[in-house]
Structures are given as structure tokens and as C-alpha cells.
Amino acid sequence: MRQDINRFLNLPVEVMEVMTASPDCFEEKRKQYNSTKILGELLREIPPDALKVLGLIDSDISIPILTFVFGEAQLGGQAAIVSLTRLRQEFYGMEPNRQIFLDRLRKESFHELGHTFGLYHCTEDACVMKLSSTIFDVDRKGSTFCRDCYLAMFSKMQEGG
């Protein structure tokens, strides 16, 4: 992801120390982590010179109104998180496939970062900002931003955030 973000968004990327989500973020009843609580923890650890922070978690995540999410981001904010769990073929009882996993991770990471730049869900099927409710939606959508989302995001980047 580091190389993809750097190459596509032309932004410097630094990898932070591994963080462990606090036990307060885990919801025992659901056996999932609350992604909103993890975003709060990420924000407390964000370096002062960071434009954005993208957290990757190898656990299933959700928000109270949805049974799961692939990721979550602060709309127009600094923090985003993506779960690796449901992006893996193995989660669905299939053989591992590294390329499919990396394609899905790239799409969802760009999607969540797009939200941090103020982008909403897009109606263009080929746009990475298209809403994904299922893994099939992730696989169907494109891996880049449509023209409108691309221009909107880079306009926000020029404004500083």
C-alpha cells in the first residue's frame, strides 16, 4: 500500500509503529472491533506532520448499525481504517489468492482515503468510491477514481486537506 499510495496520490508515505487496539474497542457480543473507536485511537497517535493516517487491522470490524464494514473513515478528516479480514478469499471458504487480496486492499484503502479528502460515495460503477456492501461489489468496482472524484480529491489536496 505504501508504494501504491505514493505512486498514485503522489504523497510521501511513512509507516508508523504497530498499534494494538485497546480492549475497549472490542465488542464481545459481536466478536468484532468497533471501527469508530479505533479511529479515535488512531487520531490520538497521529504524527503532527501527517496529512492523513490509514490504519490496517487484521480483525473484523463493524459499526453499530451495520453487521460489518470493510473500512471506515472520517469524512473530510484525517483518519481511515481498513480491515484485512473480509478482503481475503479464505474468509469466504476459498483458496488464498494474494493478487485478489491486494487488489481489494488497494480499492478499499483508496476508497477510505477518498473519504478523508471529503469524497462521498460515487454512482459510477468503475469508480473506487462506489459503495461496497459485499465483496462482490468490491471486486466489480474499479481500482481508481472516476474523473469527477479524481478532480475533487486533488482539488482538496491542493487546499491542504
Side-chain angles (χ1 to χ4, degrees):
M1 283 313 309
R2 179 184 192 172
Q3 292 171 340
D4 287 337
I5 292 169
N6 178 262
R7 183 176 36 244
F8 186 74
L9 300 179
N10 198 27
L11 293 171
V13 178
E14 293 185 32
V15 177
M16 294 171 52
E17 292 294 317
V18 173
M19 289 175 51
T20 303
S22 75
D24 294 340
C25 297
F26 189 72
E27 297 186 357
E28 186 64 41
K29 260 175 93 171
R30 297 179 87 164
K31 303 290 188 226
Q32 294 172 308
Y33 282 88
N34 181 309
S35 56
T36 306
K37 290 180 181 179
I38 295 173
L39 283 178
E41 290 187 349
L42 269 175
L43 283 169
R44 287 191 288 279
E45 299 296 323
I46 191 170
D49 62 339
L51 178 64
K52 307 290 180 189
V53 63
L54 172 66
L56 303 177
I57 184 168
D58 201 5
S59 297
D60 204 18
I61 59 175
S62 65
I63 58 175
I65 62 169
L66 295 174
T67 56
F68 77 92
V69 291
F70 294 114
E72 184 183 355
Q74 293 180 296
L75 187 62
Q78 283 188 289
I81 185 171
V82 172
S83 169
L84 308 178
T85 303
R86 291 177 187 256
L87 301 178
R88 290 192 174 95
Q89 291 283 82
E90 304 92 279
F91 183 83
Y92 306 96
M94 302 170 83
E95 289 294 315
N97 185 315
R98 182 168 170 74
Q99 190 57 53
I100 290 174
F101 170 72
L102 292 175
D103 288 344
R104 290 170 174 170
L105 176 58
R106 186 177 304 109
K107 289 177 184 182
E108 290 309 299
S109 295
F110 283 172
H111 179 95
E112 297 305 337
L113 284 170
H115 284 315
T116 67
F117 285 102
L119 298 182
Y120 294 94
H121 289 141
C122 183
T123 58
E124 293 288 327
D125 290 335
C127 184
V128 76
M129 291 308 297
K130 178 87 173 176
L131 173 66
S132 295
S133 299
T134 70
I135 199 64
F136 301 113
D137 295 336
V138 175
D139 291 341
R140 272 192 297 266
K141 72 181 174 182
S143 58
T144 59
F145 298 91
C146 70
R147 183 180 179 279
D148 289 343
C149 288
Y150 180 86
L151 292 173
M153 185 175 67
F154 279 92
S155 172
K156 294 282 186 181
M157 289 172 70
Q158 298 301 316
E159 295 169 10

